[in-house]
Amino acid sequence: MSERRRRALDLFAPLGPTYDRYAALLSLGQDPRWRRFLVSCVPAGPGDCVLDVATGTGAVAAELLGKGCQVVGLDQSPDMLAVARQRLPREVELVCADADHLPFPDGSFDALTFTYLLRYVDDPAATLRELARVVRPGGTLASLEFALPPWPWRPLWETYVRLALPALGSLISPSWAEVGRFLGGSIREHWARYPLPRQLALWEEAGIRAPRFRRMSLGGAVVIWGQRA
């Protein structure tokens, strides 16, 4: 396991039981709204099977179940999957694996979702190719990721992630304090390497045609979606 992936695993492993509550709090109530919009971009319903990668505590998986989909959740963290298991019906299959080596044949799923994933992989282009591999032609892939807001909102974002986020995290627990210190730099690094036009190009290079996007909450998050060619 690479240092980048190990860092992500160690950072979030202790957070499972409190993740949903404080992810909503620290995002100023926006994280649940972002996830709902992500699911709304997936034209799947009864009879469709959707793979939710980086499923975490199963929040997106639960939204997909609400549309009548059959859902498989995948995450590299056994601790997060243990929380998802408590939340989701027993018939939902949960798989412990990493996104770079999906244990499924080509074209196994009608759609695929992933959340806060590409900042934690070593080669986002290769990961996107692997995600697209397991989706049938014409099926939708959709993602949610933190983003750098454009001006004039960027100074407000910088103030929040540099000062308020670490301070609020420290009031919750040492683990959340570490997340508060880590998150801003992680987002900046990823967007410096992969600005939005480059991200969209990676989607197309992975065989996902005409990817679309929507910035959310003044640009603090972005949802990207497109169809497998």
Side-chain angles (χ1 to χ4, degrees):
M1 183 177 293
S2 71
E3 180 59 30
R4 182 183 295 272
R5 287 180 53 216
R6 170 60 63 186
R7 171 68 166 152
L9 191 63
D10 291 345
L11 187 67
F12 290 99
L15 304 183
T18 63
Y19 182 85
D20 293 329
R21 181 188 319 133
Y22 291 122
L25 174 67
L26 296 177
S27 67
L28 306 179
Q30 297 305 295
D31 180 77
R33 187 172 74 87
W34 299 339
R35 293 175 188 265
R36 288 193 296 271
F37 180 75
L38 167 70
V39 172
S40 77
C41 295
V42 179
D48 293 320
C49 186
V50 183
L51 177 63
D52 183 39
V53 178
T55 194
T57 62
V60 169
E63 292 284 341
L64 289 165
L65 288 173
K67 297 179 69 171
C69 303
Q70 178 185 348
V71 182
V72 176
L74 181 142
D75 203 283
Q76 69 169 358
S77 170
D79 301 275
M80 284 289 189
L81 288 175
V83 177
R85 180 77 284 161
Q86 296 175 11
R87 170 189 223 143
L88 300 172
R90 294 197 61 83
E91 60 266 24
V92 174
E93 181 182 1
L94 297 177
V95 179
C96 190
D98 70 79
D100 294 330
H101 305 92
L102 298 174
F104 309 108
D106 296 357
S108 297
F109 297 94
D110 299 296
L112 182 148
T113 55
F114 60 100
T115 306
Y116 307 136
L117 172 65
L118 296 185
R119 282 182 297 116
Y120 301 114
V121 301
D122 297 311
D123 186 347
T127 301
L128 278 168
R129 290 194 298 270
E130 175 67 356
L131 297 173
R133 178 187 67 79
V134 302
V135 177
R136 64 166 176 80
T140 296
L141 293 88
S143 78
L144 166 63
E145 184 53 85
F146 291 119
L148 288 179
W151 296 90
W153 311 114
R154 180 70 179 273
L156 292 175
W157 182 89
E158 290 287 353
T159 299
Y160 183 72
V161 300
R162 290 180 185 275
L163 301 176
L165 191 60
L168 290 170
S170 68
L171 294 176
I172 300 170
S173 72
S175 295
W176 277 105
E178 187 175 3
V179 170
R181 292 189 296 268
F182 165 83
L183 199 56
S186 172
I187 297 167
R188 289 189 207 91
E189 177 194 7
H190 182 72
W191 281 77
R193 296 170 62 205
Y194 301 100
L196 186 56
R198 179 59 182 145
Q199 292 186 46
L200 297 174
L202 291 181
W203 280 61
E204 292 189 288
E205 292 164 12
I208 305 162
R209 62 173 179 256
R212 293 176 285 170
F213 71 92
R214 180 177 292 184
R215 291 185 178 271
M216 309 286 290
S217 303
L218 306 180
V222 64
V223 174
I224 302 174
W225 69 99
Q227 280 68 50
R228 177 75 167 93

